[in-house]
Amino acid sequence: MRAKFQVLVLPFAVTADDVRYCVFKRPDMNFWQFVLGGGEDTETPFEAAVRECRDEIGVENCNFYKLDSTASIPTNWVGERVRAAWGPDCIVISEYAFALKTEERDFSLSKEYSELMWADYKTALKMLRYGSNQTALYELNERIKLGLLERI
């Protein structure tokens, strides 16, 4: 059963010259986002983030960082079957953000994504549809600039 939260994972790579962020295109809705998915059964948000990266982009054993960014997501963005299992009093769920530092540049995409793009901060920010993705990107970019990332 799906847990009452979702996770957002922001892959990034640091080079000698800059930082790049990887955004993914959803073909079913024609917009760009970071890795996104729901928790399963008794998973913690971190466990869900690791699994989503494995399932959606084929990445394991990377450097994960917890971000402070959270969002409240309306349950009407989730399928009706899942909402019915949660009950009518579950109106919003929490979204927890994580960063994924990787040297990988060519991910193995699941069917949820049709393409990926590595972009600088300003370009990625403009591409993202949802405010929660934009806020988490801002936080990650600032933490990188200030040297404030703490690995999980």
Side-chain angles (χ1 to χ4, degrees), residues 84-148:
W86 289 342
D89 61 333
C90 184
I91 299 167
V92 297
I93 58 173
S94 295
E95 177 182 85
Y96 301 97
F98 297 87
L100 170 70
K101 185 176 183 181
T102 180
E103 303 300 318
E104 188 84 28
R105 292 297 184 127
D106 210 14
F107 298 124
S108 175
L109 301 181
S110 75
K111 64 182 177 185
E112 291 210 19
Y113 305 114
S114 59
E115 61 185 291
L116 63 84
M117 179 182 287
W118 285 95
D120 61 49
Y121 172 73
K122 288 182 180 180
T123 303
L125 190 65
K126 289 178 186 174
M127 293 173 71
L128 296 167
R129 177 176 184 173
Y130 293 114
S132 66
N133 284 231
Q134 295 166 338
T135 299
L137 176 59
Y138 169 77
E139 178 189 353
L140 175 57
N141 193 65
E142 290 299 305
R143 287 186 176 282
I144 292 169
K145 286 194 301 190
L146 299 171
L148 296 176

Side-chain angles (χ1 to χ4, degrees), residues 21 36 80:
Y21 304 94
L36 180 72
E80 286 186 38

